[in-house]
Amino acid sequence: MAQDDYGKGVLDVLYDTVLKKNPVSVLVRGLETVQRILVNIHENPEDEKYRTIRIRGKTFQGKVGTMEGGVELMMSLGFRKTAKDFEEWLLYTDSEEHLLQGLEIVEKNLKRQREALELSLTEGSTKAEQRERERQRIILGIEADKQNREHLVKMGHFHARSMKTITRSKEDVEPSAEDSTGETEQAES
């Protein structure tokens, strides 16, 4: 695979699958792990333990395996699936040049995802602050309404218990007329 094809292959998997189908928090955690794996291989080029990853391993599954397209991303970076001790493993088989190119791509995208995560957290706190301001505005409105009602009660416009306007209807002023049987006449509607 030529250098340009290698980078294009990594970017295709990254943009077409990984970045489109995962939330930012999952992307940051997964890309941090991929970055650490690539750095370890670069710093320990002869040590096979850094070149091999057990796909069902707890760390890999918890961080890269939870990313949709995580295994495909690893394969586009130069890992190949292999079997060892009846388990599926990823083995890095590509060149140092591709390793560094892949690391650069992962680091750039990790930086973007961290910025996106930070922005979403900042917006989240901004939304929380907006909700708190709205809550305080409502509380102030309720307090102002309460003071207004207390003033109206003092002025005699409201009954203190029910806070209903005291009005006198015709029935309150005039007793209802009774017919000859002693029943109250009902007004026709």
Side-chain angles (χ1 to χ4, degrees):
M1 197 183 260
Q3 185 175 357
D4 290 337
D5 291 340
Y6 172 83
K8 183 180 179 328
V10 173
L11 291 172
D12 285 348
V13 172
L14 197 59
Y15 292 133
D16 293 344
T17 305
V18 177
L19 296 177
K20 282 185 180 178
K21 298 183 177 182
N22 292 289
V24 176
S25 59
V26 171
L27 287 169
V28 169
R29 187 175 55 243
L31 291 175
E32 284 174 342
T33 304
V34 171
Q35 177 191 33
R36 172 63 17 220
I37 291 167
L38 296 176
V39 167
N40 284 341
I41 294 170
H42 175 64
E43 291 175 351
N44 305 284
E46 301 302 318
D47 196 339
E48 190 177 324
K49 79 176 184 179
Y50 294 110
R51 292 179 167 277
T52 56
I53 301 163
R54 192 166 56 101
I55 292 176
R56 297 277 179 230
K58 184 178 177 182
T59 301
F60 185 81
Q61 273 303 306
K63 296 181 179 180
V64 180
T66 57
M67 268 193 326
E68 191 167 336
V71 172
E72 292 82 2
L73 176 62
M74 298 300 287
M75 293 179 71
S76 73
L77 287 164
F79 287 84
R80 300 295 167 250
K81 283 187 180 180
T82 185
K84 180 179 170 185
D85 300 327
F86 304 103
E87 287 190 271
E88 210 171 24
W89 291 71
L90 291 171
L91 173 64
Y92 188 78
T93 58
D94 217 326
S95 68
E96 178 72 13
E97 181 182 350
H98 284 172
L99 176 75
L100 293 174
Q101 187 180 0
L103 181 58
E104 182 181 352
I105 291 169
V106 168
E107 287 176 340
K108 283 180 182 177
N109 283 281
L110 175 57
K111 181 181 177 193
R112 288 185 196 127
Q113 296 309 312
R114 282 181 175 148
E115 290 168 355
L117 182 60
E118 177 137 343
L119 182 62
S120 71
L121 293 175
T122 302
E123 287 175 354
S125 66
T126 302
K127 288 178 184 176
E129 290 168 356
Q130 289 172 347
R131 284 192 303 272
E132 180 60 22
R133 281 193 299 271
E134 180 64 14
R135 187 178 80 76
Q136 290 297 327
R137 187 189 65 76
I138 290 169
I139 288 171
L140 289 173
I142 291 170
E143 287 296 320
D145 184 58
K146 181 180 175 185
Q147 289 174 354
N148 187 35
R149 286 177 181 258
E150 288 172 352
H151 175 72
L152 290 173
V153 166
K154 286 181 185 176
M155 301 296 292
H157 297 293
F158 281 96
H159 185 272
R161 264 200 181 164
S162 67
M163 292 299 217
K164 292 182 179 177
T165 304
I166 299 175
T167 58
R168 298 199 139 214
S169 65
K170 190 175 183 179
E171 292 84 354
D172 290 337
V173 177
E174 299 175 10
S176 62
E178 294 184 359
D179 67 359
S180 59
T181 63
E183 295 180 9
T184 305
E185 288 183 28
Q186 294 184 357
E188 292 182 40
S189 318

